[in-house]
Amino acid sequence: MDQFLQQLVNGLAIGGIYALVALGYTMVYGVLKLINFAHGDLFTIGAYLGMTLFVSLGLAGKVPAWAAVTLVAVMVMGLVALLGWLLERAAYRPLRSAGRLSAVVSALGASIFFQNAVMLIWGAKYYVYPETMRPDTILHLFGMGIPAIRIVIIAASVLLMLALYWFINRTRLGTAIRAAAIDQGAARLMGINVDRIIALVFLIGPGLGGVAGVMVGLTYGQISFDMGFSYGLKAFTAAILGGIGNIPGAMLGGMLLGLIETLGAAYLTMAWKDALSFLVLILILIIRPTGILGERVAEKL
Amino acid sequence: MFLELDNLHAGYGRVEVLHGVSLHVDEGEIVSILGANGAGKTTTLQTVSGLATWMSGAIRLRGEDIHRLPSHEIVTRGLAQSPEGRRVFGALTVLENLRLGAFTIRDRESAARTRDWIFELFPRLYERREQLAGTLSGGEQQMLAIARALMAQPRVLLLDEPSLGLAPLMVRAIFETVRKVNESGVTILIVEQNARAALRLASRGYVLELGRIVMEDSAANLLANPSVQQAYLGA
Ligand SMILES: Nc1ncnc2c1ncn2[C@@H]1O[C@H](COP(=O)(O)OP(=O)(O)OP(=O)(O)O)[C@@H](O)[C@H]1O
Ligand SMILES: [Mg+2]
């Protein structure tokens, strides 16, 4: 039982991270019907920026670790959002009318560009988040010790998702994002500036992805220049699992995948941990290609 | 002249569909465009709304050139469209669709007044306001498409085949609403398969053939014209 609770917390923490990254894939797919292959790299950049900012701002010891981490996470969100916005401007907008294939090639190119930029700036090696940045409070719940940081990460990812859910469903701009995902032409007839909606999506998705990168550093300590590939693939799986283009679907898919992976590794076999995610992906593609919450294709296209 | 198309060439990408269309709609008028399938009626309306590719010529709204403006700015200048095939946002509720129609209206109170008027015009939409638009009947979706365009408080309304695929009773209801909307002061340019009904409503009409205007006359004359009768009125 103890072990189950522990694994549950782990599963939800990693699930929240997958969900935040998955949201970026799914929102961009929603408005552009394009897989942003560079999204995983923006996530990596978020993880590295978090570390660099923390170190270079010299926050260690001066302010409480929680405050420092929050400040860094907010800054990373803003900076990676800005990178996402620039990416859309430079790599996708000029090709908007050039067809799907050009956009895919451009996405791959952007991904390679970011990977190389990371290696150039930080080097092709692993880094460890500074201990001073990782609050080491242990919570004692039900007679076991759970690192407080994991609970905080679950809470933060859930809060971010609730905020996004509220924004998408309750505000004028959020409704415009949904409209643009359904029918861009009709959205234009409503007087919606679809270019600005796309730019907004490229701010939100990468912003959340960047924060998720910091969360990985805080949870596991270690970050690497190629982390965007594996996490990106998992998050993409989560987006498909929930139904690509569907925002609540990405949240659900991320959480589910985190739980399946963690509990599967604990109770089935550790060696199959990664294979499990792809088994899920293959199964979902066979059984329900639209994903759990995915609309019928006719409605989406 | 309220809305004026002057020797308009337009199409999609590099393909030219309209080869010099000129027409005008005066303030308060209902004007109808007739034409066979593929004549370019939808393309004409799409170009006015900034969704098709403008190539040359001019489109003027109350004297101002609008053919280079992006579509969203055309809406802010008082021109809205209910497009062919309705294109309501199926996964959104009726209310959300209406709210999107009012996207350019920053004054909430005035948007609320427009909505009240629209619910008077379409009581059925009020009953179904929380329902997803995709679950409405075809006639209700058409009402929603018109209502949504009206939420932008347009001075000019473009209607593309509002009666397409509807039962006769519903067609009559839609045309009756179009008349009421016009009486409230909205200028209307309407494209219709149901040319007879459209011409009864309109003061003037144009006949479009292969991207060119081939005839222009009062609605009464067009209704009485033997060649129009044969080609478009099924007589
Ligand atoms: N998106 C598009 N891309 C390229 N060509 C198009 C596009 N839409 C329409 N066309 C072409 O433009 C021409 C005019 O089409 P349009 O839809 O304007 O005709 P229409 O008069 O509205 O016909 P209908 O009565 O069938 O609605 C047709 O030859 C059509 O094939
Ligand atoms: Mg048409």
Side-chain angles (χ1 to χ4, degrees):
Chain A
M1 192 60 203
D2 279 6
Q3 199 215 355
F4 176 75
L5 273 179
Q6 198 109 37
Q7 297 301 345
L8 196 66
V9 169
N10 292 343
L12 289 174
I14 188 67
I17 291 170
Y18 289 160
L20 289 179
V21 181
L23 281 166
Y25 284 112
T26 231
M27 288 181 75
V28 167
Y29 184 86
V31 293
L32 287 185
K33 306 292 174 262
L34 165 83
I35 305 300
N36 177 16
F37 287 109
H39 188 57
D41 306 291
L42 290 170
F43 157 87
T44 308
I45 291 175
Y48 276 79
L49 272 179
M51 176 190 67
T52 301
L53 278 174
F54 183 84
V55 173
S56 58
L57 291 175
L59 292 171
K62 289 205 198 103
V63 289
W66 296 111
V69 165
T70 308
L71 178 69
V72 164
V74 170
M75 289 175 73
V76 167
M77 189 187 300
L79 286 171
V80 179
L82 199 66
L83 272 181
W85 183 83
L86 283 172
L87 168 71
E88 194 269 326
R89 270 300 163 107
Y92 298 137
R93 186 169 299 191
L95 295 170
R96 194 76 59 73
S97 56
R100 194 78 57 98
L101 186 63
S102 324
V104 169
V105 171
S106 191
L108 289 169
S111 171
I112 293 169
F113 172 81
F114 281 132
Q115 273 170 35
N116 282 287
V118 168
M119 284 194 276
L120 208 68
I121 298 170
W122 285 284
K125 55 180 182 172
Y126 291 73
Y127 278 89
V128 175
Y129 261 42
E131 280 304 321
T132 45
M133 191 179 169
R134 305 179 59 207
D136 52 4
T137 317
I138 299 286
L139 291 179
H140 294 280
L141 292 173
F142 309 107
M144 18 158 228
I146 293 178
I149 186 72
R150 300 228 165 149
I151 304 288
V152 169
I153 279 173
I154 295 172
S157 57
V158 168
L159 264 179
L160 284 171
M161 284 189 261
L162 286 177
L164 179 69
Y165 191 81
W166 173 84
F167 174 74
I168 291 291
N169 287 294
R170 293 277 174 268
T171 67
R172 173 175 169 275
L173 272 181
T175 311
I177 292 180
R178 285 185 291 153
I182 296 171
D183 183 340
Q184 275 199 22
R188 289 201 157 89
L189 287 179
M190 302 300 102
I192 294 167
N193 182 345
V194 172
D195 280 344
R196 276 170 71 179
I197 293 298
I198 292 169
L200 179 63
V201 163
F202 270 90
L203 283 168
I204 297 174
L208 295 176
V211 169
V214 176
M215 287 178 172
V216 168
L218 292 173
T219 312
Y220 303 105
Q222 198 178 61
I223 60 174
S224 69
F225 62 94
D226 57 0
M227 65 195 277
F229 180 73
S230 54
Y231 280 90
L233 211 51
K234 298 274 181 65
F236 180 62
T237 303
I240 301 268
L241 181 62
I244 186 96
N246 186 304
I247 290 172
M251 301 177 182
L252 182 70
M255 286 299 190
L256 266 180
L257 193 70
L259 286 173
I260 292 171
E261 194 184 273
T262 313
L263 297 177
Y267 293 104
L268 299 172
T269 157
M270 191 62 201
W272 282 55
K273 181 169 173 286
D274 285 332
L276 216 54
S277 314
F278 302 114
L279 190 67
V280 168
L281 178 61
I282 290 165
L283 281 180
I284 199 83
L285 286 177
I286 294 170
I287 300 167
R288 196 177 153 79
T290 55
I292 300 171
L293 297 183
E295 308 121 57
R296 273 164 287 132
V297 176
E299 261 173 43
K300 207 154 51 189
L301 298 183
Chain B
M1 267 177 258
F2 219 55
L3 175 68
E4 182 190 10
L5 277 57
D6 184 4
N7 194 22
L8 178 69
H9 292 252
Y12 302 93
R14 283 194 205 103
V15 184
E16 186 176 298
V17 173
L18 303 180
H19 315 289
V21 168
S22 297
L23 61 82
H24 67 95
V25 186
D26 293 329
E27 181 160 15
E29 257 193 320
I30 299 181
V31 170
S32 177
I33 302 180
L34 315 182
N37 294 125
K41 306 180 297 293
T42 297
T43 308
T44 305
L45 299 195
Q46 294 283 81
T47 311
V48 172
S49 283
L51 291 184
T53 316
W54 168 83
M55 291 165 181
S56 68
I59 305 171
R60 286 182 210 103
L61 182 63
R62 288 189 275 166
E64 184 195 5
D65 281 348
I66 59 165
H67 51 266
R68 289 178 199 275
L69 294 180
S71 45
H72 57 98
E73 287 190 26
I74 294 171
V75 180
T76 23
R77 279 167 176 70
L79 186 141
Q81 176 177 171
S82 160
E84 185 177 54
R86 298 152 200 160
R87 293 170 75 171
V88 296
F89 301 110
L92 308 188
T93 66
V94 168
L95 269 177
E96 285 173 328
N97 270 274
L98 292 177
R99 232 174 268 141
L100 284 164
F103 190 80
T104 54
I105 308 298
R106 290 314 186 101
D107 179 352
R108 283 181 176 223
E109 272 175 39
S110 118
R113 276 196 301 277
T114 308
R115 203 181 58 189
D116 292 344
W117 172 61
I118 276 165
F119 281 147
E120 255 170 57
L121 218 50
F122 303 100
R124 193 86 71 91
L125 291 183
Y126 179 74
E127 288 161 26
R128 313 207 168 243
R129 63 195 180 281
E130 301 291 351
Q131 201 168 316
L132 293 185
T135 66
L136 298 178
S137 77
E140 290 162 349
Q141 290 192 15
Q142 185 58 58
M143 290 177 181
L144 179 56
I146 297 175
R148 189 180 62 172
L150 289 173
M151 284 299 292
Q153 306 178 348
R155 307 283 303 269
V156 181
L157 177 64
L158 310 184
L159 294 171
D160 198 343
E161 312 247 14
S163 78
L164 194 68
L166 302 185
L169 212 64
M170 186 59 88
V171 172
R172 218 171 304 152
I174 296 276
F175 278 105
E176 181 53 25
T177 313
V178 171
R179 197 182 51 75
K180 279 192 204 158
V181 168
N182 175 248
E183 280 168 2
S184 78
V186 180
T187 303
I188 291 173
L189 178 59
I190 181 172
V191 164
E192 254 298 329
Q193 292 286 323
N194 194 339
R196 194 183 296 277
L199 285 175
R200 285 208 186 107
L201 212 58
S203 55
R204 293 186 302 112
Y206 293 85
V207 177
L208 192 63
E209 252 172 41
L210 300 172
R212 288 186 175 85
I213 299 286
V214 295
M215 204 184 289
E216 167 188 5
D217 212 332
S218 73
N221 284 349
L222 288 173
L223 276 168
N225 184 313
S227 65
V228 171
Q229 282 180 351
Q230 191 176 356
Y232 305 109
L233 302 175

